[in-house]
Amino acid sequence: MQKTILITGVTGSIGGATAHELAKGGHHLVLLARNQQKLEALKADIIAKTNNTSIDILTADLSHIASIKKVAQEVKQKYNRLDALVNIAAIFRANRELSKDGLEMMFATNHMGPFVLTNELLDLLKQSKPARIVTVAAPSTTKLNFDDLQGEKKYSSMYSFGGSKMMNLMTNYTLAKKLEGTNITTNTFHPGLVKSDLVKEMKGPLKLIVNMMSTKPDKAAHSLSELVTSEKYNGVSGKFFDFKQKEKKSSAYSHDQAMQEKLWNLSTELSNK
Ligand SMILES: NC(=O)c1ccc[n+]([C@@H]2O[C@H](COP(=O)([O-])OP(=O)(O)OC[C@H]3O[C@@H](n4cnc5c(N)ncnc54)[C@H](OP(=O)(O)O)[C@@H]3O)[C@@H](O)[C@H]2O)c1
């Protein structure tokens, strides 16, 4: 059955490959990114390669809460159903930057982006049940420092990136509990090391190692698409899968309910400012 699927991060490596893969399955895709030109080129490429013309594009800055709320409003006005939301967009920044909302840029884009977009689209997803949310994360073990989440006192790019991916894991666990009994499932996905521009600002030998170990996005895109559409994941929620579609155990810290709740409450507060 054709599903309506909204995907972020489509102008990137994993997002682009996932959009192609889902388009092959004949689904109606809503591609969301911040760059209109890149989006139009991607749409043309997908149509040329898959013959699927059911492709819409939307622009928004996922580091800016007002922009996310605006595009979510647009989605709710345009579509009467949304079967799946796939949160892929993220960044890595070597130096501390602030978003338009005054938040550290990785916190804003990688955590608040999917947090706000998902919450804004929950009613539409509920209306379309069964529906799925999948967020691309990583097996982060970073412990959150709630006294300095914005890196004001001390900034470390690796800490902020790892922290944002920990937040993806924690948010997923909290949301899965909140969505129990609704027939909306939510899971996280680790793509493995994939060649992309994500680490272009990473410095030194680490960047070299990451690049050497990275592979093409095809396998990750295939597994991610399965997680979004395959019947074998009906009713599966609150889990973390890797690029081989194996369920993984994330760190004990990511399951700390007090920390999860603290993060959820803080994020809700920030998104309502
Ligand atoms: N690559 C890996 O090895 C790896 C490993 C673990 C996890 N991941 C995760 O996989 C996901 C995709 O990463 P990738 O490797 O495909 O990275 P990528 O190629 O750099 O793609 C990132 C995407 O996010 C978009 N984006 C960034 N900031 C945005 C904003 N403010 N508003 C809207 N869109 C924005 C980018 O748009 P522009 O084209 O406009 O920049 C791009 O489409 C991320 O969540 C990442 O954390 C990747």
Side-chain angles (χ1 to χ4, degrees), residues 9 11-14 34 38 61-62 88-90 136-137 165 192 194 196:
T11 53
S13 172
I14 296 163
R34 57 185 165 177
K38 281 195 201 175
D61 176 356
L62 293 173
I88 303 180
V136 176
K165 293 288 128 183
V194 172
S196 80

Side-chain angles (χ1 to χ4, degrees), residues 9-15 32-35 38 60-63 87-91 109 136-138 161 165 190-198 210 214:
V10 287
T11 53
S13 172
I14 296 163
L32 193 156
R34 57 185 165 177
N35 184 312
K38 281 195 201 175
D61 176 356
L62 293 173
S63 71
N87 293 305
I88 303 180
I91 50 157
T109 310
V136 176
F161 182 74
K165 293 288 128 183
H190 174 47
L193 285 178
V194 172
K195 280 193 200 318
S196 80
D197 276 347
L198 186 73
V210 168
S214 296

Side-chain angles (χ1 to χ4, degrees), residues 1-6 27-28 81-85 124-125 128-133 184 228:
M1 201 187 82
Q2 190 194 47
K3 293 178 191 296
T4 299
I5 303 170
L6 191 153
H27 299 291
H28 170 208
R81 63 176 305 109
L82 183 62
D83 300 289
L85 166 64
L124 183 57
L125 288 160
S128 323
K129 67 186 178 183
R132 296 183 187 179
I133 300 159
I184 315 296
V228 176

